[in-house]
Amino acid sequence: MPLIQPDPTFYPSAREAMSAPREGLAYVALLDTAGEGRPDGLATIDLSDGTIVGVHDMSVPGDELHHFGWNVCSAALCPYAPHPHVERRYLVLPGLKSSRIYIFDVKDDPWHPKLVKTIEPETVFKKTGYSRPHTVHCGTDAIYVSALGNVEGDAPGGVFTLDHDTFEPKGRWEADRGPQELHYDFWWHLGHDTMITSEWGTPNQIEAGPSLELLVGREYGHKLHVWDLSKRRHLQEIDLGDQHQMALELRPAHDPAKTHGFVNTVISVEDLSANIFTWYLEDGIWKARKIITIPAEPATADLLPEPLKQFGAVPPLVGDISLTLDDRILLVSCWGTGELKAYDVSDPFSPRETGSVRIGGIAERRPHPATPGRALNGGPQMVEASRDGRRVYFTNSLYRSWDDAFYPDGISGWMAKVDIADDGSLSLDPGFFVDFAPDGRRAHQIRLQGGDSSSDSYCFS
């Protein structure tokens, strides 16, 4: 009888995953700057030198690739839902605008992913009632996908699942959604059978770009929702305060014995700051506490896009956060000010800033050492840390209509790398700079070959 061995990229714990081999490739979602006429692409990057190995164009234009993920990961090793036969072989890429989902096979030739299946929007609409698929996470029993809204582009948004083997949509995940309407990200505490979800806005609220009216009216999302993961039932709502608009990325502790995590809010209507909250379980109740405030930075009106001129300042516009696998370093991308920050969150209630690098930014346009004479637009946006917690890769595009509002001269796509020292300090790698300008498309989500700090969940400490 042949012996079935788990995929070698799966690890029982985050601690063991930190000893994984160094990543050799990255996969990067590219979106057409005009949003029409040219398909989006999936780029493969050789991380040894930053070379673009190739770009696979999607089948049709207009998808707006955004976030994507693996079909399976280390969650397949959980003892209550083992899947020893599965392998980290497929990338699942949703089109945020089109609601089309692409499946790419990277097993036979990781350097050149092969498109093997396309799930058309009508199938997603019919089987789930949702549209605008956003985030992909590999769960213990299925592939989980978040969606920003219903077929009409309104609330509710939520989560649906795809079959691990056929990739066919299985249906809506929620059995009882309670008061939840808005949606963005989701993740879980597998050791406590709990899912956490966050809020941005409905497709009709966000697709045209940021709305000052909605912002001042405090109508974007500002809550977390707590769910019973196995029963698919809403348990609790945590309001972060309606001044803290757009509660986005969720980063739970990787150790399943821990009951805390981190979430960023993009902008405060009171002072334009961005904020980081810790959520935690105390006496059977899930709570949240603000732990970091990043202030806006003054700037003259001639350096600011129209939406910011009246304020005379650049908001940080934190769009992503990433937590190293040892639950020690939290990376925070300040897309507006062009800064990547690092905090030691070993004590999740008393963070300590350990490092910072600056590149791009709305007002500063700081260049990369590899191109010292070139002012860069965009700023650190999507952030991905290596499994050993030593390297951080990031790109500079947020979302097409929001790019155009804050960087009206247009974003020229790039990807950079930062090294993390033992003390948590950051240093920009002067020799690593991936320039997507010749391709003409913008870069967003990054996935690292074999897994990264936001791709896997673990059932063992």
Side-chain angles (χ1 to χ4, degrees):
M1 177 181 294
L3 180 63
I4 298 177
Q5 296 282 359
D7 186 307
T9 69
F10 296 170
Y11 292 86
S13 68
R15 175 176 46 82
E16 292 177 75
M18 292 189 73
S19 63
R22 179 169 176 155
E23 65 283 354
L25 297 175
Y27 302 103
V28 181
L30 301 182
L31 59 142
D32 175 42
T33 54
E36 55 188 24
R38 186 183 184 194
D40 295 344
L42 176 64
T44 304
I45 310 299
D46 183 342
L47 294 177
S48 67
D49 57 8
T51 301
I52 302 174
V53 177
V55 179
H56 191 298
D57 289 349
M58 300 303 109
S59 307
V60 294
D63 287 309
E64 183 126 6
L65 297 183
H66 200 65
H67 292 195
F68 64 102
W70 294 101
N71 61 316
V72 291
C73 57
S74 298
L77 300 182
C78 290
Y80 57 86
H83 296 278
H85 65 289
V86 297
E87 54 187 343
R88 192 194 306 267
R89 175 173 180 171
Y90 301 98
L91 287 169
V92 181
L93 282 80
L96 183 55
K97 182 178 180 181
S98 68
S99 298
R100 185 175 291 106
I101 302 175
Y102 297 96
I103 311 297
F104 280 86
D105 188 344
V106 301
K107 180 179 180 180
D108 294 336
D109 186 356
W111 299 80
H112 301 94
K114 179 182 178 182
L115 179 63
V116 294
K117 186 179 179 71
T118 302
I119 304 168
E120 294 297 338
E122 294 75 19
T123 301
V124 175
F125 300 160
K126 180 180 179 181
K127 293 191 175 181
T128 72
Y130 287 137
S131 71
R132 283 68 162 199
H134 185 273
T135 298
V136 177
H137 284 315
C138 33
T140 59
D141 57 339
I143 303 166
Y144 287 66
V145 185
S146 70
L148 297 187
N150 61 23
V151 178
E152 292 75 32
D154 296 316
V159 176
F160 64 92
T161 59
L162 305 177
D163 184 88
H164 265 146
D165 299 312
T166 67
F167 303 106
E168 286 300 311
K170 298 169 71 173
R172 286 193 180 192
W173 174 78
E174 300 87 0
D176 177 1
R177 71 177 340 108
Q180 179 268 327
E181 291 288 324
L182 299 180
H183 192 78
Y184 181 75
D185 198 8
F186 68 100
W187 219 331
W188 36 60
H189 293 281
L190 292 180
H192 298 268
D193 198 26
T194 298
M195 178 187 278
I196 309 290
T197 64
S198 61
E199 301 182 339
W200 182 10
T202 67
N204 290 333
Q205 289 176 320
I206 67 170
E207 287 183 342
S211 165
L212 185 59
E213 180 181 354
L214 291 176
L215 192 64
V216 172
R218 307 187 180 202
E219 294 184 44
Y220 291 115
H222 49 87
K223 298 174 183 176
L224 301 181
H225 298 272
V226 183
W227 307 75
D228 183 307
L229 183 57
S230 60
K231 293 181 180 178
R232 301 154 51 199
R233 295 179 54 200
H234 189 278
L235 297 176
Q236 189 185 333
E237 184 178 83
I238 306 172
D239 195 335
L240 304 178
D242 64 8
Q243 71 272 32
H244 299 296
Q245 290 282 281
M246 293 172 272
L248 296 189
E249 304 293 342
L250 300 170
R251 298 293 179 257
H254 297 287
D255 183 345
K258 296 176 180 177
T259 53
H260 73 267
F262 306 93
V263 60
N264 68 292
T265 55
V266 176
I267 191 167
S268 167
V269 299
E270 295 179 343
D271 58 10
L272 303 184
S273 67
N275 292 272
I276 309 294
F277 291 76
T278 297
W279 78 75
Y280 59 100
L281 181 64
E282 182 178 72
D283 299 328
I285 304 296
W286 292 91
K287 303 177 181 180
R289 182 188 306 175
K290 184 168 67 174
I291 60 164
I292 297 169
T293 294
I294 304 172
E297 298 180 356
T300 58
D302 61 312
L303 296 177
L304 298 174
E306 197 58 43
L308 298 178
K309 287 184 182 296
Q310 62 180 303
F311 301 109
V314 179
L317 299 175
V318 170
D320 195 17
I321 56 177
S322 184
L323 182 64
T324 56
L325 290 187
D326 56 3
D327 295 329
R328 176 175 168 244
I329 300 296
L330 184 72
L331 289 310
V332 179
S333 66
C334 303
W335 184 67
T337 49
E339 184 179 17
L340 180 69
K341 288 178 169 287
Y343 296 87
D344 187 322
V345 290
S346 300
D347 180 342
F349 301 105
S350 299
R352 177 176 57 86
E353 186 169 353
T354 59
S356 165
V357 296
R358 287 186 176 259
I359 179 172
I362 289 173
E364 194 167 357
R365 307 295 175 105
R366 183 173 293 198
H368 189 278
T371 57
R374 175 181 166 190
L376 294 179
N377 55 17
Q381 212 319 282
M382 292 308 297
V383 182
E384 209 52 76
S386 61
R387 288 177 291 183
D388 62 4
R390 291 293 188 176
R391 293 164 300 284
V392 184
Y393 304 89
F394 56 93
T395 56
N396 69 323
S397 170
L398 190 155
Y399 181 59
R400 183 183 295 109
S401 59
W402 293 55
D403 288 350
D404 296 343
F406 292 108
Y407 292 91
D409 52 328
I411 281 185
S412 180
W414 48 262
M415 172 179 166
K417 170 177 167 283
V418 157
D419 295 310
I420 306 179
D422 289 342
D423 62 358
S425 60
L426 303 180
S427 58
L428 200 61
D429 184 340
F432 188 97
F433 183 76
V434 184
D435 187 3
F436 293 105
D439 178 271
R441 287 175 282 195
R442 300 173 185 173
H444 192 63
Q445 175 88 61
I446 303 167
R447 282 290 172 219
L448 303 183
Q449 183 184 29
D452 46 61
S453 67
S454 69
S455 63
D456 287 45
S457 303
Y458 306 92
C459 272
F460 298 91
S461 297

